[in-house]
Amino acid sequence: MILDDGGDLTHWVYKKYPSVFKKAQGIVEESVTGVHRLYQLSKAGKLCVPAMNVNDSVTKQKFDNLYCCRESILDGLKRTTDVMFGGKQVVVCGYGEVGKGCCSALKAMGAIVCITEIDPICALQGCMDGFRVVKLNEVIRQMDIVITCTGNKNVVTRDQLDRIKNGCIVCNMGHSNTEIDVASLRSPELTWERVRSQVDHVIWPDGKRVILLAEGRLLNLSCSTVPTFVLSITATTQALALIELFNAPEGRYKQDVYLLPKKMGKTWARPLGINSAIGLE
C-alpha cells in the first residue's frame, strides 16, 4: 500500500516501478495537490489501483488545512521576521481552506487583507467574508506581505517580484516550493543574504530587498510548529483509510479515487469533540 502526501511517492512508483504499482492494494493521499494528480491518472485511465482521497474528508480538510494553518501562519511569520501585523497590507493568493485560515488569522490581528482567486465560488466566499478580491498584478506594488496558498506553480512570477516593494515579505503556505518562482531569483544580478535560519534577503541592483522565507518552501513546515492535536487527527484519518482499503472485500473498490466514508470520520470525531470540550485532548 502507498501512504502519500503530495503525490510524489505515488508518481515515483508509477514511473519507476510500474509492476510494483500495479500490485499495490491501495493508495491513501492527504493533500490537495496529490489528490488532483490521482484524479488526473484516473481520468487518463492509468490508475490501476483503488485510491482514497483523505484530503476532502471533513476531519482532515477543516483541521489540517483550515484550523492548523490559521495558527501556523502567524507562528511562522513571527518566528522568522517578528513582524507586527496591525495595518500591514497583505495579499493571500488562493482562498481554499488554507487561504481561509490564513486570512482569518491575519484579519484578526489587524492586517488589511485582500485575496486573489481564480475559482468563482471561492472568490465569492472571500467577498462574502469581507475580503477584497483582486488581481495580483494590480496590487503587488503596495503589499507588505505576499502569501501563496494555491497548490499551483509560478503563482508569483519574476516580473511581479521585480515590481514588489522594498522590505516585502514573500512566503508560501501551498504545496512544495513551486508557487514562488525562486529559481528565477538565483541569477547573477541578484544577491542573496542569509539573515537567519529560513530567512533570506534577496537584493536587487538598486538596493531593494525582498524577504524570502524558507526559500519558497512550506512556511508552516519549515518555520513553525504544527499542533500535535491536528497531527493526530490527520494521522488517524489516514490510518482509517488504510485499514478500510486493506480490509475491504474484493470488488468494493475499483480502480478509481474514493472519498473516505463520512461515517468513519464521525465515529472518532465524536469522542474527540467531547474530550476537547472538557479539556482532555
Side-chain angles (χ1 to χ4, degrees):
M1 302 190 76
I2 297 174
L3 179 62
D4 209 355
D5 180 1
D8 295 324
L9 177 60
T10 301
H11 188 71
W12 182 72
V13 175
Y14 171 74
K15 288 288 187 182
K16 295 283 187 180
Y17 304 99
S19 59
V20 175
F21 187 76
K22 290 175 183 176
K23 293 176 183 176
Q25 195 165 336
I27 301 167
V28 172
E29 172 59 54
E30 76 145 349
S31 75
V32 177
T33 308
V35 166
H36 181 66
R37 294 167 85 173
L38 284 175
Y39 281 123
Q40 284 180 326
L41 280 177
S42 179
K43 189 176 180 180
K46 296 177 180 178
L47 186 64
C48 51
V49 295
M52 194 73 81
N53 169 5
V54 166
N55 177 73
D56 291 325
S57 65
V58 176
T59 44
K60 193 275 176 184
Q61 196 172 73
K62 294 299 181 187
F63 283 91
D64 204 13
N65 296 18
L66 176 60
Y67 302 132
C68 182
C69 292
R70 189 172 66 184
E71 298 191 17
S72 59
I73 181 64
L74 300 180
D75 185 25
L77 286 169
K78 279 289 187 185
R79 284 173 188 251
T80 50
T81 67
D82 298 315
V83 64
M84 187 171 184
F85 298 108
K88 291 292 188 294
Q89 296 275 352
V90 182
V91 60
V92 176
C93 303
Y95 199 69
E97 297 298 326
V98 173
K100 288 180 176 71
C102 292
C103 288
S104 171
L106 290 161
K107 182 180 180 181
M109 295 297 291
I112 303 162
V113 183
C114 58
I115 65 167
T116 69
E117 179 56 70
I118 61 169
D119 182 274
I121 300 297
C122 291
L124 180 59
Q125 287 178 320
C127 183
M128 297 302 289
D129 287 339
F131 300 107
R132 190 161 60 99
V133 184
V134 299
K135 292 183 178 179
L136 188 58
N137 277 331
E138 295 174 358
V139 300
I140 194 73
R141 291 181 187 274
Q142 292 81 46
M143 293 299 111
D144 298 302
I145 305 174
V146 177
I147 303 167
T148 57
C149 310
T150 70
N152 212 326
K153 63 180 181 180
N154 294 335
V155 178
V156 181
T157 64
R158 173 60 191 271
D159 176 62
Q160 291 163 336
L161 290 164
D162 284 339
R163 291 188 288 121
I164 224 162
K165 76 178 185 180
N166 181 52
C168 182
I169 300 168
V170 181
C171 63
N172 169 39
M173 287 285 287
H175 175 69
S176 191
N177 59 344
T178 60
E179 304 211 21
I180 303 162
D181 188 9
V182 176
S184 70
L185 298 178
R186 299 190 182 280
S187 55
E189 73 273 16
L190 301 182
T191 304
W192 284 59
E193 182 181 295
R194 174 56 58 95
V195 179
R196 63 173 80 161
S197 177
Q198 308 294 352
V199 183
D200 291 287
H201 283 187
V202 183
I203 308 168
W204 267 251
D206 63 357
K208 180 185 82 172
R209 291 172 179 252
V210 169
I211 303 167
L212 179 65
L213 304 184
E215 297 182 39
R217 297 186 302 274
L218 279 169
L219 178 76
N220 57 337
L221 298 185
S222 303
C223 307
S224 72
T225 61
V226 178
T228 53
F229 181 58
V230 171
L231 286 176
S232 69
I233 287 173
T234 304
T236 304
T237 306
Q238 288 179 289
L240 285 170
L242 282 171
I243 294 166
E244 172 66 16
L245 282 176
F246 188 81
N247 291 334
E250 191 174 346
R252 176 183 290 178
Y253 296 109
K254 298 179 171 57
Q255 298 168 352
D256 206 350
V257 184
Y258 295 87
L259 285 169
L260 182 73
K262 196 170 183 179
K263 181 181 177 183
M264 293 175 66
K266 284 185 174 181
T267 300
W268 66 266
R270 187 175 293 110
L272 270 177
I274 294 168
N275 287 341
S276 294
I278 59 175
L280 297 174
E281 270 187 27

